[in-house]
Amino acid sequence: MSRTFRIAPSILSANFAKLGQEVTDVIASGADIIHFDVMDNHYVPNLTIGPLVCESLRPVTDAIIDVHLMVKPVDRIIPDFAKAGANIITFHPEASEHIDRSLALIRDSGCKAGLVFNPATPLNYLDHVMDKLDMILLMSVNPGFGGQKFIPETLNKIRAVRERIDASGRDIWLEVDGGVKTDNIAEVARAGADVFVAGSAVFGAGRDSDAHHYDSIVAALRAELAKVA
Ligand code: DX5
Ligand code: ZN
């Protein structure tokens, strides 16, 4: 059985002056999910976008909006993103006072829930919450900025999480975020990922001349994944 792979461009690297068009273009080019990076200049040293931008983008696309919270504290902002139309909300466990409560808050607001692990965050945060997860997001760079280099040591962590998901028997998506490009996406897939965030690789790619600006890069990423499936 072939695995389902999903490509999730991070709009962190999009042109914010025309964000709606960027979202429309990248989905028309065959991407599956919009990865929405929320940074608070506290948990990470950068400041990005909040629920108002999510609300503005919601009518622009039917695609899944995958909100990656790099904020501390996390609970206060969760209902706002749910109301703004987020489909998936993930947070970093060390940024939450009560992980179980934050997960419940996300699920009770009708969204899918996930935990995010930095390269050095231990996986034992998973021990007691596997049954409440729809997604596990593994960072393959330290969070805060697009355009960083993939940290190869995270491949072993991807394998370890894949084993835990398979052992759980649950349908938990394994998303990898940071430095994913055409030259490493197949390796990341082989290690066990099934959702691939790509920011600079997609939005930094030269624009195609036809109507769908990102056709070439999305097709190139899919061609690499087809070698694995
Ligand atoms: C980093 C963000 C990533 C980032 C990925 O903190 O969580 O989603 O935008 O960008 P690239 O693909 O350029 O590494
Ligand atoms: Zn992200």
Side-chain angles (χ1 to χ4, degrees), residues 10 35-37 39 68 70 137 139 177 197:
S10 162
H35 185 78
F36 192 105
D37 285 309
M39 304 185 186
H68 172 192
M70 287 161 274
L137 171 48
M139 297 303 301
D177 183 2
V197 176

Side-chain angles (χ1 to χ4, degrees), residues 142-157:
N142 287 298
F145 303 93
Q148 302 181 78
K149 201 171 156 359
F150 184 89
I151 299 172
E153 287 74 16
T154 54
L155 285 167
N156 276 335
K157 204 166 182 181

